[in-house]
Amino acid sequence: MPERVGFQKLIEAAKRASNELAALADKALSDFRAARNRMTHEGFSPRDDSESVGLLLEVGLPFLHQCYLQLFSFNLWDALLPEYLRQLTIGTEVYARAKEVVGLDRAYCLKSLGHLIRWSLKASFSADWEIQELVKTEELGIGVEFKLEQRQRLERLLSPEWVFDCPLCGDPQAIVCQLDESELRVGDIVPKRLACTNCGFVVGTAELFLSEALLRDEVATAREAILKDYGL
């Protein structure tokens, strides 16, 4: 049986094979390897989520992308579904801002990507009776009434608010988003927290910058209408 090649030796071999890979920071890869070894041998817990998200976004995934690109001429980003790549890009952007906030649990930075994957696979893993009941509910209009009631309740709870299309499930006018009131007074539109009445996606107040990144394009489109509606 051939000798098992260790993770560090694989990294060294990859860096020898490519100048681009060799240029990547040794300390970042060393920290990634140390965290991987610690979690593999000592166990993984939810306390490791924040660190793991950072290591994946800043080191692991970029290094994997470069390995595929330099060693196999395969572009990993081009191979991803566009909607998944967008949420991965958003997660990277949000993490870059969130890491400057001391004491913040940054595991949420990939929350929208995780939700999108689960939502996309929901139909494949739903029982036949669940799908039939859902169709029946929509045909009777019960689902529409429930969503309307939920939206009205959220609009009262999240004032000042605006309604947007959901960037994850695509349902029109399903996102109720609370706007930062102090920023709104000076003409800036900054989403704070949000909830979707269709797919159930929620961003809380502690999940900084995520609502802004998810709704940036829609906010830009609706900016004049929002300011006009609020008399600004």
Side-chain angles (χ1 to χ4, degrees):
M1 179 179 293
E3 180 183 356
R4 182 178 179 184
V5 179
F7 183 52
Q8 181 59 27
K9 289 184 177 180
L10 288 173
I11 291 178
E12 292 170 358
K15 298 187 78 169
R16 285 196 301 270
S18 165
N19 292 332
E20 287 78 5
L21 291 173
L24 296 175
D26 286 328
K27 185 181 185 306
L29 288 171
S30 178
D31 291 344
F32 182 87
R33 174 174 170 266
R36 174 262 183 196
N37 289 341
R38 186 186 76 245
M39 294 175 194
T40 298
H41 299 299
E42 298 178 12
F44 181 89
S45 77
R47 293 190 301 273
D48 298 309
D49 286 348
S50 184
E51 179 187 10
S52 298
V53 165
L55 289 170
L56 280 172
L57 290 175
E58 291 194 316
V59 185
L61 289 175
F63 183 67
L64 178 63
H65 171 61
Q66 285 299 322
C67 281
Y68 276 129
L69 193 61
Q70 302 303 325
L71 302 178
F72 308 108
S73 299
F74 177 81
N75 192 313
L76 179 61
W77 300 157
D78 288 346
L80 294 176
L81 291 173
E83 57 268 31
Y84 290 174
L85 179 60
R86 171 170 167 73
Q87 295 311 317
L88 179 58
T89 302
I90 284 175
T92 303
E93 173 197 330
V94 171
Y95 181 82
R97 298 180 66 186
K99 72 176 183 178
E100 303 299 326
V101 181
V102 177
L104 181 65
D105 183 345
R106 293 176 283 274
Y108 73 89
C109 295
L110 287 176
K111 183 177 183 178
S112 60
L113 175 61
H115 183 87
L116 176 62
I117 292 172
R118 289 190 297 272
W119 180 256
S120 300
L121 296 175
K122 183 178 180 181
S124 299
F125 290 95
S126 295
D128 289 343
W129 68 266
E130 291 179 292
I131 297 175
Q132 291 171 4
E133 286 300 316
L134 180 61
V135 171
K136 186 186 300 183
T137 298
E138 294 295 335
E139 289 176 347
L140 294 174
I142 299 174
V144 175
E145 293 177 4
F146 175 77
K147 289 177 184 178
L148 179 59
E149 292 175 0
Q150 191 177 29
R151 172 175 154 176
Q152 292 172 342
R153 180 175 61 84
L154 286 170
E155 287 176 338
R156 292 192 295 270
L157 177 66
L158 300 180
S159 179
E161 85 296 332
W162 197 259
V163 178
F164 299 95
D165 299 344
C166 180
L168 300 180
C169 70
D171 204 49
Q173 301 290 285
I175 285 279
V176 180
C177 176
Q178 183 178 45
L179 306 177
D180 187 305
E181 189 169 6
S182 60
E183 296 289 345
L184 188 60
R185 290 198 194 102
V186 296
D188 289 332
I189 301 168
V190 180
K192 288 181 62 177
R193 53 179 176 158
L194 59 80
C196 178
T197 59
N198 184 55
C199 68
F201 182 68
V202 174
V203 176
T205 52
E207 295 167 330
L208 304 179
F209 317 121
L210 184 53
S211 295
E212 294 177 55
L214 285 167
L215 296 177
R216 180 178 292 116
D217 293 343
E218 290 195 66
V219 165
T221 300
R223 175 180 172 78
E224 296 304 321
I226 296 172
L227 293 177
K228 182 178 179 180
D229 192 72
Y230 280 96
L232 299 170

